[in-house]
Amino acid sequence: MGFRDTPAGAAPSPADPQRDKGQLFTPEIRAAIDRAIAQYPPEWRQSAVMPALTLVQEHNGGWLSRELMDDVAAYLDMPAIAVYEVASFYSMYDLEPVGRHKVCVCNSVSCMLNGSEDLIGHVTDKYGVRPGETTPDGRFTLKEVECLGACRHAPAVLVGKTYHECLTPQALDRLIEDLE
Amino acid sequence: MTDKVTIEIDGRTCEAQPGEMIIAAADREGIVIPRFCYHKKLSIAANCRMCLVEVEQNGRPFPKPLPACATPIAAGMRVQTRSAKALEAQRGTMEFLLINHPLDCPICDQGGECELQDVAMGYGDDLSRYSEGKRVVLDEDLGPLIATDMTRCIHCTRCVRFGAEIAGVRELGATGRGEDMRIGTYVGHTVAHELSGNVIDLCPVGALTAKPSRFQARAWELRTVPGVAPHDALGANIELHVRRGRVIRIHPRDNEAVNETWLADRDRFSYAGLYSDDRLCEPMVKRDGEWHPLPWADALRLAATGLAARAQSDAAAVGLLMSPSATLEEMYLAQKLMRALGVANLDHRLRQQDCRSDAADPALPWLGVPIAEVERQAALLLIGTDLRQEQPLLAHRVRKAALAGASVTLVNPYRLDLTFANRQFVADPAAMLLELAAIAKALGGAAKEAGGAVADLIGMAKANAGHKETAKQLRAAGKQGAGLILLGALAAAHPDYSLLKALAYRIATASGARVGFLPAGANGVGAHLAGLVPHRGPGGAPLAAPGLAAAAMLAAPRRAYLLWGLEPDRDLADPAQAQRALAGAELVVAATSFRTPALEALADILLPIAAFAETSGTFVNAAGTWQGFAGAVVPPGEARPGWKVLRVLGNELGLAGFEQTSSAEVLAELRAAGGEATPDNAPAGDPEAIAPVPAPVSAERPDLWRIGNLPIYAIDPLVRRAPALRHTPLGEGLAVRLHPEEAAARGLADGDAVLVAQGEARATSRVVLDAAVARGCARIPSGVPGSESLGASIAPVTLEKV
């Protein structure tokens, strides 16, 4: 079980109240984060931490630097460590630079039983990257991720934002070959 | 209050509040349920799963075991903590917890007092079925107080919740997922909080242990002696852990009325100062500039004849300065001895410059409310206090009040970094008076009668929206008897302390709030009870012929001084002036635990006295609670408990009434002499009856004020000698902190070397830009190395670039 935030009455202290929120990110990102914040009660700005991290990560070439996480913390009035907790927990956030594309192979139980380990082994052999590594030409990063929720058509692979299901090593190869 | 319900735990019928957790009711009944993540003072996480129990309600069993820490009690519950099903669940949890836990108990500092070890003895198997590799977690440097061994962590998150809920600063967190989850700061910085050491107690395993006492002793070798913490007016209850006559470490002792279950780092780690190299271990006398040891009998005879001779020729030429952290017994005997000699100049208010309102001040000032009541206040006005540094655990109570919705307003010469919602008026010392006057004005505090400094100030002040809001909150709280105005150490050091007090009383009268004081040292309330002030005897009895206060007897030098438990270059309001006065005196007798260069230069006779933990005695805390303690260890060498030294000194002087054979006898005598009087903050006279003009602030305003705050780890000789505390981020050294705009206006930049001058007194230091400091002020701490040569802590100062 992961860390739980504390109930009301022990609201976390802001990371750095001195920082001017209007100087963080770009106006477009700020507007998008504000739309996410508006979905929650006003005293729970930090509920928007996941959409905010997603937006910031997309804008930053697919990964989150510590500075960006600190900015998100400042923007949402939450302690920096609470943002690190979220960003390090979910596999869709990357905390190191990544390739132009992310090939995310699900390795939870259904996919594993249906051959996802073969997919990973194939990519590793053919492209010389183990899970978590990026090809030398920066084309893609191979990731082994937790359940993608596509068990019915296992094994599943997420490339960018697109799901691909019932994959064989050859089918996955074709997907990778099509990447820029 | 809701009606209680009756439930059954392990066949025992007990009463509980509906909604209360099973584990709390079981704890009250003395039924032990194993647990790691549950802690009575922290929120419920329910993530260790160790406290699984079997529950049925009205005859219907729950299908699975439930965590006792997160299952609310309801009517008709039957709980079994030791049934086959419960034990199986607990064993299963234990097996999982031990999967990754290293089997390194023999080299773990927690061994022998480890909750995991204890529970594993009860529930663990002798063999693990887990044969894969165990995970290893890299350690993080959490600073000089907390040692880490994160591979041992079982992710109970108590330390994380402590940071968020108690400390109010979330620095620790749980990053990563599943097998990769780890507790740390993620960016690896030192944990900077005055209560950080409490995570050591909270950690149920050996992941977080005390660095200064690491590997010094095993738990079963330690003798436990109850004691009282010596560094602030709270008097936190402690346990001293002693091995072979040496204090190895200090833990808190639970006392809901005082420290709850917590302890400030200062009280936990200062014991290291007992073992510093400069302990004074034998009586010494200076002859022709050379120090010579001599037997106690000779030293006491020399001191007695020297003091008696001066007192006989002119009693007004003798003075006693005593640490506010001396024991009640020492204080009582010291004032008794001096007064028997006819000496009236005696004081413990070492850092107070302004004593003009002595006659009007309350006879026995105190906090104004019991400590636990602080968290039930609805509005607090804190005047001149760096609260977290001065009274760390009282700050925690104020934080609890604020989290419960209280409004907290502060008037200070620099902005405090606080962990709760607050309103701060940051102003230079002169303007602090106007800020308070503005609050008084907003309360409708019209001039009682024309004239008078307070009325003038209220006339000058302008109330803005913030003042009005504070006034409104104080009045609303005052109506329900839940308003409190506290004056702290920065107020006491203020050159117009009497005006601050008069304004505080004015605001209190107008709003219905109470006035309280944050006493200096560990025994400030006790000092008043013992009569260690120039104008009052034991029990606060007024004296016909008051003597001089500490500041006055140094401003107008005496022929002879007795110094008790203080360093003249660090513990006095104006060290430059004090050292001049002492250097010019014919005789300086210093009773001290430490032999310092300044004492060697200024004193003629050094008497080694026992330090904290080495003497029995009593401290009276801010709430007026008498807390007695026994000596835990023997003082080094020839050093002796202070009350014994004073008693024999009394005998040596041929005085009557110095025949006590124990500190308890001294205490009984003080009680009989009126020392049991109840503290009361009602002023003894009119606080506003102060000569209006010679107030430095009402005169010409200085160009720049020195704010000589007393950093948390510089407050007394013992804590200054604890190296681990000095190396924390809170271990502040000498610097000149200026607001960036103030620095720019003076052509100074960050890091510039400057000559700090207060009249003749000088020191060099470096500029640090700090936007928290009020304009017109330079925050230059006192009590730290380099500050000895400076003047009064809050006074005009000039800076010159060098």
Side-chain angles (χ1 to χ4, degrees):
Chain A
M1 177 171 280
F3 170 79
R4 281 201 195 180
D5 216 326
T6 53
S13 60
D16 187 357
Q18 312 296 328
R19 299 185 61 181
D20 181 5
K21 293 193 177 86
Q23 299 299 311
L24 300 171
F25 318 120
T26 64
E28 296 74 35
I29 291 182
R30 283 201 301 275
I33 297 177
D34 287 344
R35 281 196 294 281
I37 291 171
Q39 313 229 347
Y40 302 99
E43 66 272 27
W44 289 108
R45 280 176 80 82
Q46 57 262 52
S47 300
V49 64
M50 291 184 64
L53 286 172
T54 306
L55 284 159
V56 172
Q57 171 167 283
E58 254 175 52
H59 189 75
N60 188 50
W63 72 289
L64 291 162
S65 65
R66 207 192 98 208
E67 289 71 24
L68 284 172
M69 291 190 278
D70 289 346
D71 288 354
V72 169
Y75 197 77
L76 298 177
D77 292 329
M78 58 197 289
I81 182 75
V83 175
Y84 307 152
E85 284 177 340
V86 173
S88 61
F89 182 84
Y90 292 102
S91 55
M92 67 269 201
Y93 300 120
D94 283 290
L95 307 182
E96 275 162 27
V98 292
R100 292 189 294 281
H101 302 275
K102 292 181 194 172
V103 175
C104 307
V105 184
C106 175
N107 203 15
S108 287
V109 64
S110 305
C111 292
M112 194 181 86
L113 292 173
N114 279 298
S116 64
E117 305 230 293
D118 293 342
L119 297 181
I120 292 170
H122 175 76
V123 177
T124 299
D125 287 347
K126 180 156 181 192
Y127 299 96
V129 282
R130 282 170 301 182
E133 291 179 353
T134 305
T135 52
D137 59 359
R139 186 150 63 120
F140 73 94
T141 302
L142 175 66
K143 293 176 68 178
E144 181 185 334
V145 300
E146 298 303 329
C147 186
L148 288 172
C151 308
R152 191 167 59 161
H153 296 136
V157 172
L158 180 69
V159 179
K161 288 182 178 172
T162 313
Y163 270 67
H164 302 273
E165 298 167 339
C166 300
L167 284 174
T168 60
Q170 292 68 35
L172 180 58
D173 249 357
R174 281 197 296 279
L175 287 174
I176 292 175
E177 289 310 321
D178 286 347
L179 297 174
E180 299 273 305
Chain B
M1 189 166 266
T2 349
D3 287 338
K4 292 202 165 177
V5 295
T6 305
I7 62 161
E8 191 190 305
I9 306 179
D10 286 356
R12 203 185 305 179
T13 310
C14 49
E15 288 216 312
Q17 295 285 339
E20 189 181 20
M21 298 303 162
I22 292 173
I23 204 167
D27 279 354
R28 202 168 44 236
E29 289 291 316
I31 298 168
V32 180
I33 300 175
R35 87 287 304 267
F36 297 113
C37 71
Y38 173 78
H39 190 275
K40 61 185 176 182
K41 290 283 177 189
L42 302 174
S43 68
I44 288 160
N47 59 10
C48 77
R49 314 313 278 183
M50 193 62 220
C51 65
L52 292 172
V53 292
E54 193 179 350
V55 185
E56 60 179 68
Q57 193 170 7
N58 300 325
R60 293 219 322 259
F62 284 82
K64 290 201 283 183
L66 299 179
C69 73
T71 305
I73 285 170
M77 264 187 180
R78 215 173 128 247
V79 180
Q80 294 185 71
T81 71
R82 316 267 311 158
S83 67
K85 196 171 171 186
L87 286 178
E88 191 202 351
Q90 290 163 4
R91 283 210 191 90
T93 302
M94 194 71 228
E95 185 170 8
F96 271 110
L97 285 172
L98 290 177
I99 276 182
N100 270 319
H101 192 80
L103 202 66
D104 64 348
C105 304
I107 57 152
C108 172
D109 208 37
Q110 192 92 347
E113 53 178 351
C114 173
E115 294 174 46
L116 186 71
Q117 201 178 28
D118 292 349
V119 177
M121 285 296 290
Y123 298 87
D125 265 330
D126 48 359
L127 274 178
S128 173
R129 288 185 286 169
Y130 182 78
S131 56
E132 288 79 0
K134 290 193 178 210
R135 68 180 207 144
V136 172
V137 179
L138 290 182
D139 290 329
E140 209 170 345
D141 183 5
L142 295 185
L145 304 179
I146 304 168
T148 58
D149 239 304
M150 299 317 285
T151 303
R152 298 180 184 140
C153 175
I154 58 165
H155 305 147
C156 71
T157 69
R158 278 185 190 173
C159 56
V160 176
R161 283 174 284 146
F162 172 84
E165 296 161 23
I166 307 299
V169 180
R170 264 206 64 188
E171 290 180 335
L172 290 168
T175 53
R177 175 177 188 160
E179 177 89 346
D180 297 321
M181 176 171 165
R182 56 208 50 198
I183 303 288
T185 62
Y186 187 79
V187 291
H189 56 79
T190 304
V191 173
H193 194 281
E194 65 277 9
L195 305 179
S196 67
N198 288 296
V199 299
I200 297 164
D201 298 338
L202 290 174
C203 183
V205 299
L208 305 175
T209 53
K211 213 178 244 182
S213 60
R214 206 178 192 204
F215 306 141
Q216 303 280 304
R218 280 303 195 182
W220 57 85
E221 300 171 321
L222 297 170
R223 192 165 58 88
T224 299
V225 188
V228 177
H231 299 298
D232 62 41
L234 193 91
N237 290 195
I238 54 173
E239 275 178 0
L240 297 111
H241 291 175
V242 178
R243 177 172 174 259
R244 290 188 203 148
R246 195 178 161 100
V247 179
I248 300 292
R249 63 181 188 185
I250 288 177
H251 279 185
R253 197 154 42 97
D254 280 15
N255 185 341
E256 277 303 308
V258 181
N259 52 311
E260 302 173 78
T261 187
W262 313 122
L263 191 61
D265 289 357
R266 188 162 67 181
D267 296 329
R268 183 187 298 268
F269 295 111
S270 70
Y271 66 86
L274 295 174
Y275 307 107
S276 76
D277 295 337
D278 61 352
R279 281 302 297 266
L280 179 65
C281 295
E282 50 195 344
M284 312 273 291
V285 65
K286 186 155 67 179
R287 290 197 188 101
D288 307 322
E290 294 278 322
W291 282 98
H292 303 278
L294 77 172
W296 263 111
D298 300 346
L300 287 169
R301 194 171 313 119
L302 269 178
T305 48
L307 288 171
R310 270 77 181 190
Q312 261 157 26
S313 63
D314 177 12
V318 183
L320 162 68
L321 295 167
M322 194 160 191
S323 157
S325 298
T327 66
L328 198 55
E329 292 80 354
E330 289 168 331
M331 289 171 165
Y332 173 71
L333 285 180
Q335 64 84 31
K336 182 176 177 181
L337 185 137
M338 293 312 264
R339 286 186 169 131
L341 289 174
V343 175
N345 305 329
L346 45 92
D347 209 348
H348 75 283
R349 298 167 300 173
L350 306 181
R351 296 184 182 275
Q352 186 173 328
Q353 299 184 60
D354 174 13
C355 296
R356 284 171 295 163
S357 61
D358 274 1
D361 280 351
L364 300 169
W366 69 302
L367 185 64
V369 291
I371 287 163
E373 284 298 310
V374 171
E375 66 190 66
R376 289 192 266 280
Q377 302 300 309
L380 289 124
L381 172 61
L382 306 174
I383 305 169
T385 174
D386 192 337
L387 189 64
R388 285 175 64 184
Q389 302 237 334
E390 284 173 24
Q391 314 280 351
L393 281 171
L394 215 54
H396 171 55
R397 298 277 190 177
V398 172
R399 174 175 142 82
K400 281 166 97 176
L403 292 181
S407 71
V408 182
T409 303
L410 298 104
V411 179
N412 269 323
Y414 53 90
R415 183 173 298 280
L416 307 190
D417 181 14
L418 294 173
T419 54
F420 46 82
N422 60 76
R423 179 181 300 120
Q424 300 197 37
F425 296 106
V426 178
D428 71 56
M432 277 172 70
L433 293 169
L434 288 172
E435 299 285 358
L436 285 178
I439 295 170
K441 192 171 204 167
L443 281 161
K448 247 194 256 174
E449 61 256 9
V454 172
D456 290 350
L457 281 164
I458 294 177
M460 275 192 279
K462 289 189 190 67
N464 65 23
H467 300 119
K468 285 178 186 151
E469 190 62 21
T470 291
K472 201 173 100 193
Q473 287 160 341
L474 278 173
R475 181 179 283 133
K479 279 211 185 86
Q480 5 158 350
L484 184 61
I485 302 169
L486 291 174
L487 292 125
L490 288 168
H494 194 288
D496 274 328
Y497 185 31
S498 51
L499 284 175
L500 288 175
K501 277 184 283 195
L503 283 160
Y505 277 108
R506 174 68 79 106
I507 294 169
T509 311
S511 65
R514 267 171 288 204
V515 172
F517 296 88
L518 299 173
N523 205 14
V525 173
H528 285 272
L529 283 167
L532 193 70
V533 282
H535 55 295
R536 289 183 186 276
L543 296 179
L548 296 178
M553 62 178 113
L554 292 168
R558 308 287 104 190
R559 283 171 64 199
Y561 291 92
L562 173 57
L563 309 179
W564 196 276
L566 59 91
E567 291 180 57
D569 52 338
R570 298 281 178 91
D571 289 316
L572 297 168
D574 185 337
Q577 182 193 62
Q579 290 175 86
R580 247 187 346 263
L582 293 170
E586 292 164 21
L587 175 70
V588 176
V589 180
T592 173
S593 301
F594 303 98
R595 185 179 171 179
T596 74
L599 280 171
E600 286 187 354
L602 299 168
D604 302 288
I605 302 172
L606 293 176
L607 304 176
I609 53 169
F612 157 71
E614 297 167 352
T615 177
S616 60
T618 307
F619 290 148
V620 184
N621 76 2
T625 308
W626 294 45
Q627 302 194 104
F629 47 88
V633 292
V634 178
E638 289 294 305
R640 293 291 177 266
W643 70 269
K644 284 189 186 172
V645 174
L646 285 161
R647 192 205 63 201
V648 182
L649 199 56
N651 300 148
E652 203 62 55
L653 286 159
L655 301 172
F658 285 85
E659 290 82 35
Q660 302 87 349
T661 54
S662 69
S663 62
E665 261 180 63
V666 183
L667 201 63
E669 190 181 322
L670 167 60
R671 282 186 197 276
E676 252 180 325
T678 321
D680 182 0
N681 286 337
D686 178 6
E688 298 186 15
I690 305 152
V693 178
V697 297
S698 25
E700 200 154 304
R701 247 167 117 142
D703 174 51
L704 189 66
W705 283 94
R706 173 187 177 202
I707 306 300
N709 62 304
L710 195 56
I712 184 165
Y713 301 140
I715 53 147
D716 62 38
L718 185 68
V719 79
R720 287 194 289 263
R721 285 173 171 75
L725 291 172
R726 211 166 48 234
H727 294 131
T728 65
L730 295 175
E732 190 177 334
L734 188 71
V736 178
R737 290 177 179 273
L738 288 171
H739 193 283
E741 289 168 21
E742 187 69 48
R746 291 167 189 278
L748 295 170
D750 199 50
D752 277 357
V754 282
L755 177 70
V756 182
Q758 294 183 276
E760 299 290 298
R762 264 150 231 283
T764 49
S765 184
R766 288 193 179 275
V767 171
V768 175
L769 298 185
D770 184 348
V773 181
R775 294 291 308 266
C777 295
R779 185 172 134 189
I780 307 168
S782 36
V784 299
S787 69
E788 306 87 350
S789 55
L790 285 172
S793 51
I794 301 189
V797 69
T798 57
L799 299 179
E800 195 185 310
K801 198 165 165 174
V802 291

